Amino acid sequence: MTKGSSPTDDGNFILTQEEEQQLTQVCADSSRYIFDYYGAKDFLHNTPRRILYLKGAPLSVLATPLIKSRLERIREFRKKSSKKSTIALSDYPAQFDEDRVDLGPLMAIPRVSSIQREYVPMGYFTGNVIMADATFQLPNASLAIFALLESKMHTAWLRMVGGRLKSDFRYSNTLVYNTFPIPPLNAHERGYLDRYAELILAARDENSSNETSLASLYDPVIMPATLRKAHMRNDKFVDSIYGLSDPSEEDRVAKLVELYQTIFSDKTR
């Protein structure tokens, strides 16, 4: 799991709807280099921006005046940076500063999420999206991993070991994801986790429209009944994997700490 990408472009890779239309009218090939772009707020509220990602773009695209003028502004912006690495990248204005783009299937996790939610709303994208560094991304994540991370077991771990930004959860790939203890899973258990993940995603789709966001779907007061039931079924099964039945938050934390200590002890022998 890594952070998303950081363009360091002063906004010049970002396109409005009108700018995208204008650009694709004068250079049809440029459409191959325009993608949905999600920061944490965009991701939670279903308001993706559009971004140029010019890796591998031919000179015929880069030389398009509407693109070249943006690259010139990026070059000048980076030259004024106090970071030597960013200044060096001014010679490569078509490249992102921190390029961690993966256009394949991925999970996305907002780095900051409301502590009032029972689950951190995580996305499951089939591909061709770019994540900003306000999100974490997990390329080629299995549905089973999605089910585990969208459980109350994982929320309990996050609540215990994760950071805070004011009163919100601050997710961490190193402190939360990398340390989350998962018991050995057999093929039968993985298959059930896949199925429960599919039920959660289906319940989201059932309750979604153009005006619906993950933030509203996971509002604890108005969370749709079908989505809540899908999560409850997933929670019950995930709890059973850890040997628990109808546990409290304290029960989950105790079991996770016990498993973590066992795993850590085995790795240090």
Side-chain angles (χ1 to χ4, degrees), residues 24 37 89 121 201 205 213 226 232:
T24 54
Y37 181 57
L89 273 171
L201 293 171
D205 289 342
S213 66
T226 51
M232 290 173 66

Side-chain angles (χ1 to χ4, degrees), residues 21-114:
Q21 290 175 348
Q22 185 181 9
L23 176 57
T24 54
Q25 284 174 358
V26 299
C27 179
D29 287 345
S30 65
S31 61
R32 298 171 53 195
Y33 305 95
I34 303 172
F35 299 88
D36 281 342
Y37 181 57
Y38 291 91
K41 191 173 182 179
D42 310 310
F43 164 54
L44 288 172
H45 293 276
N46 194 27
T47 54
R49 291 168 285 170
R50 298 287 279 169
I51 193 168
L52 283 164
Y53 181 59
L54 298 168
K55 185 176 182 178
L59 286 177
S60 58
V61 171
L62 299 178
T64 303
L66 292 173
I67 291 180
K68 186 178 179 182
S69 61
R70 289 170 179 267
L71 298 181
E72 289 170 346
R73 292 195 294 271
I74 292 170
R75 186 167 182 264
E76 293 305 313
F77 174 72
R78 291 178 179 175
K79 281 182 177 180
K80 297 174 184 176
S81 175
S82 59
K83 291 175 60 178
K84 289 184 179 179
S85 59
T86 302
I87 294 171
L89 273 171
S90 65
D91 289 333
Y92 308 96
Q95 298 179 14
F96 280 14
D97 184 357
E98 298 177 15
D99 187 343
R100 290 180 283 268
V101 172
D102 189 311
L103 296 175
L106 56 78
M107 272 187 66
I109 300 102
R111 290 174 66 186
V112 177
S113 177
S114 171

Side-chain angles (χ1 to χ4, degrees), residues 5 9 11 15 40 45 137 139 143 172 188 219 224 226 228 236 248 253 259 265:
S5 298
D9 63 328
L15 299 170
H45 293 276
Q137 59 186 23
L143 284 167
S172 166
H188 178 77
D219 183 316
T226 51
R228 182 175 293 281
K236 184 176 181 179
S248 64
V253 168
L259 182 57
S265 175

Side-chain angles (χ1 to χ4, degrees), residues 59-254:
L59 286 177
S60 58
V61 171
L62 299 178
T64 303
L66 292 173
I67 291 180
K68 186 178 179 182
S69 61
R70 289 170 179 267
L71 298 181
E72 289 170 346
R73 292 195 294 271
I74 292 170
R75 186 167 182 264
E76 293 305 313
F77 174 72
R78 291 178 179 175
K79 281 182 177 180
K80 297 174 184 176
S81 175
S82 59
K83 291 175 60 178
K84 289 184 179 179
S85 59
T86 302
I87 294 171
L89 273 171
S90 65
D91 289 333
Y92 308 96
Q95 298 179 14
F96 280 14
D97 184 357
E98 298 177 15
D99 187 343
R100 290 180 283 268
V101 172
D102 189 311
L103 296 175
L106 56 78
M107 272 187 66
I109 300 102
R111 290 174 66 186
V112 177
S113 177
S114 171
I115 202 169
Q116 302 302 320
R117 299 188 182 111
E118 297 172 54
Y119 313 90
V120 175
M122 302 180 186
Y124 198 83
F125 295 92
T126 56
N128 286 326
V129 298
I130 293 176
M131 296 295 155
D133 64 357
T135 64
F136 285 107
Q137 59 186 23
L138 185 61
N140 297 310
S142 67
L143 284 167
I145 287 292
F146 178 84
L148 286 166
L149 299 189
E150 281 286 36
S151 70
K152 286 188 175 177
M153 287 294 290
H154 188 64
T155 304
W157 188 250
L158 168 61
R159 197 182 303 275
M160 182 177 68
V161 305
R164 295 286 186 274
L165 183 64
K166 296 182 180 178
S167 61
D168 292 332
F169 286 132
R170 190 175 182 89
Y171 201 89
S172 166
N173 57 339
T174 54
L175 293 178
V176 181
Y177 175 74
N178 287 351
T179 64
F180 181 52
I182 300 173
L185 301 172
N186 59 40
H188 178 77
E189 290 167 331
R190 288 182 180 275
Y192 269 100
L193 288 170
D194 287 345
R195 178 55 181 154
Y196 289 124
E198 289 170 349
L199 291 174
I200 290 170
L201 293 171
R204 288 182 182 182
D205 289 342
E206 176 187 334
N207 291 282
S208 292
S209 66
N210 290 336
E211 294 76 31
T212 308
S213 66
L214 277 178
S216 58
L217 284 174
Y218 282 84
D219 183 316
V221 177
I222 60 173
M223 188 177 189
T226 51
L227 181 58
R228 182 175 293 281
K229 288 177 181 177
H231 270 285
M232 290 173 66
R233 292 179 67 181
N234 182 60
D235 286 333
K236 184 176 181 179
F237 184 72
V238 172
D239 289 340
S240 73
I241 289 173
Y242 287 84
L244 299 174
S245 177
D246 195 24
S248 64
E249 173 100 352
E250 292 74 20
D251 294 332
R252 291 188 175 102
V253 168

